[in-house]
Amino acid sequence: MTNAFPSQNFTEMLGITPISLVSDQQIWDELLTPQVKAFLGPIQGEPTVRVQETVAGEFPGDEVTNLNGHLLYGKPGFVRFPYIQTVYRTKYGCVIIKRDGLKFKVTAWVGKRGKQELILRASLRDRRFDGTKRADDTSLLDFTYADAINAPLMKDGKPIDAKSVELSIYAFMPGSKISSTCGDNSFEEFVRNPYTFLDRPKLFIKHFRKAWKTERSPGQVANSIPDVSGIVPAVFEKFAIDAGYDFIENSSSHYHIAMWGVSLGYRYTAPEHAKVLAAFTAGIKQLKDSGIELTRPQESWVCVLQSLPKELLPKDLKVYDLNGPVWPQDNIGPSNLWMNKPLSERGKQLLPE
């Protein structure tokens, strides 16, 4: 009798992936930076650990998602697969770690109950089910990954046999949100996602002029915490390497984030995106060479401006027309500007430079 029993990793086939096993202690000790911990203060008492299946979280803003619209118990408000939620109360706020088989998501909040303010959101997510509806059964998502346009890494039009994980990092200084400092909610929403204002060109231009004079980049609704960008990416790479991943990826929502990724060794996954970014980089260089001074935030705003139809550009803004490139990720539709970085020798061989 031949041995017909399958040799499969059933645990991973069921969606329990290595990245979900990063411990809370590793997250606290290595991922949370000194400045984030200073804002939080020391942990107070024992954590609260629960298996959750509700969309609602601890308070408004702490919700998860049900992107596939499953109706557990015949009604909305529940997710198909449960997740584990651990709440660490600290002297000045709390840290909440949510995890399921494909992702862990860390949020740090400061302030008293009812007035919590988000200061950090960081996560790692296994990409193996991307491009399929199963990807969106992970309730710890902000956007859909079920569309085929977000399929995992490919070579010659075919998915490669490799393990890949996506990072996501957001950090905000307490008390620095636009709406908190100047009370302008509409302007804050514009900075959060300017592409949602393209159908209101007059309001777009009004907010664009205001943003141009600030030090806020697109997406930056609050000041960043200085040590996060310098510490967290390397920690995420360590976690991914220890868990046996071949690649780490990110989805760069704006030009300054893409340039930050390049500085860390990431490269553009799709050749067409590499061409678009090269056009943006060349166009911005041409503006600077002509004598136009641009800050780093303004470079990103120039990229945003290209999505506004040329005929709607006021005369004084036409100087920033780059004649062609349009930013590939608007955070509205499913298209993402994927960037990747090989972590293993196998990864470097699968997708060489």
Side-chain angles (χ1 to χ4, degrees):
M1 177 180 176
T2 60
N3 185 1
F5 296 108
S7 177
Q8 298 288 340
N9 188 333
F10 293 117
T11 301
E12 289 199 22
M13 289 175 70
L14 287 169
I16 309 300
T17 63
I19 205 61
S20 67
L21 303 180
V22 174
S23 71
D24 286 7
Q25 183 167 357
Q26 286 177 287
I27 290 169
W28 178 269
D29 289 345
E30 301 177 50
L31 185 65
L32 298 187
T33 68
Q35 289 182 327
V36 170
K37 288 179 182 174
F39 286 127
L40 290 167
I43 295 173
Q44 307 282 289
E46 295 296 318
T48 302
V49 184
R50 285 200 297 263
V51 177
Q52 296 271 91
E53 57 181 355
T54 60
V55 171
E58 288 293 297
F59 42 77
D62 186 49
E63 300 85 1
V64 298
T65 57
N66 183 8
L67 296 181
N68 280 335
H70 296 292
L71 294 178
L72 254 66
Y73 313 114
K75 53 186 177 181
F78 296 89
V79 295
R80 183 181 182 190
F81 297 113
Y83 57 94
I84 299 171
Q85 173 179 283
T86 308
V87 180
Y88 294 89
R89 304 290 175 187
T90 69
K91 186 173 182 179
Y92 304 116
C94 67
V95 175
I96 300 177
I97 302 174
K98 299 178 193 272
R99 64 177 77 234
D100 61 11
L102 289 176
K103 182 176 182 178
F104 73 79
K105 181 178 182 180
V106 184
T107 54
W109 308 77
V110 296
K112 297 179 180 179
R113 191 168 184 86
K115 294 184 178 180
Q116 295 92 345
E117 183 178 358
L118 180 67
I119 63 168
L120 178 74
R121 184 167 70 228
S123 59
L124 282 176
R125 182 183 69 87
D126 192 295
R127 290 201 65 206
R128 71 188 60 205
F129 298 130
D130 282 17
T132 70
K133 191 173 182 180
R134 187 172 176 183
D136 287 354
D137 276 336
T138 304
S139 60
L140 310 180
L141 294 177
D142 297 309
F143 305 101
T144 178
Y145 290 94
D147 196 286
I149 200 170
N150 288 311
L153 289 166
M154 305 183 76
K155 183 178 181 180
D156 300 326
K158 298 179 181 179
I160 64 174
D161 181 18
K163 293 181 179 180
S164 181
V165 66
E166 179 199 12
L167 66 80
S168 179
I169 309 168
Y170 300 88
F172 312 101
M173 287 285 285
S176 67
K177 284 185 67 176
I178 293 170
S179 57
S180 299
T181 56
C182 67
D184 193 334
N185 291 312
S186 177
F187 181 58
E188 181 175 295
E189 287 308 308
F190 173 79
V191 173
R192 186 188 310 278
N193 189 354
Y195 300 104
T196 60
F197 285 72
L198 290 172
D199 60 345
R200 294 164 284 173
K202 289 184 179 180
L203 186 57
F204 178 98
I205 293 168
K206 174 186 174 184
H207 287 328
F208 179 89
R209 292 188 186 283
K210 187 173 182 178
W212 188 261
K213 298 176 182 178
T214 72
E215 290 297 318
R216 298 289 172 91
S217 300
Q220 189 184 0
V221 298
N223 293 335
S224 60
I225 297 177
D227 69 351
V228 169
S229 63
I231 294 176
V232 173
V235 174
F236 271 164
E237 288 183 27
K238 175 182 178 296
F239 287 172
I241 291 169
D242 290 347
Y245 286 87
D246 300 301
F247 293 90
I248 189 165
E249 300 183 74
N250 74 67
S251 180
S252 294
S253 54
H254 295 287
Y255 182 76
H256 63 285
I257 299 175
M259 293 299 100
W260 175 67
V262 169
S263 74
L264 295 175
Y266 286 78
R267 70 271 181 97
Y268 305 109
T269 299
E272 60 269 25
H273 286 165
K275 292 178 181 179
V276 170
L277 267 293
F280 273 116
T281 301
I284 289 171
K285 182 178 185 301
Q286 188 173 4
L287 290 177
K288 290 183 171 182
D289 289 346
S290 71
I292 296 175
E293 294 184 2
L294 295 173
T295 65
R296 176 60 68 87
Q298 286 172 342
E299 291 178 4
S300 280
W301 284 114
V302 166
C303 296
V304 170
L305 190 64
Q306 308 312 303
S307 293
L308 193 69
K310 288 187 178 184
E311 63 271 17
L312 298 178
L313 281 174
K315 185 177 180 180
D316 64 311
L317 295 183
K318 289 184 184 295
V319 67
Y320 303 113
D321 182 8
L322 300 183
N323 295 311
V326 175
W327 193 254
Q329 178 174 330
D330 62 10
N331 299 309
I332 302 171
S335 180
N336 286 307
L337 172 57
W338 286 107
M339 302 180 71
N340 72 80
K341 181 178 182 178
L343 297 177
S344 68
E345 286 303 317
R346 183 168 179 274
K348 294 173 184 176
Q349 293 171 9
L350 287 168
L351 285 182
E353 289 287 353

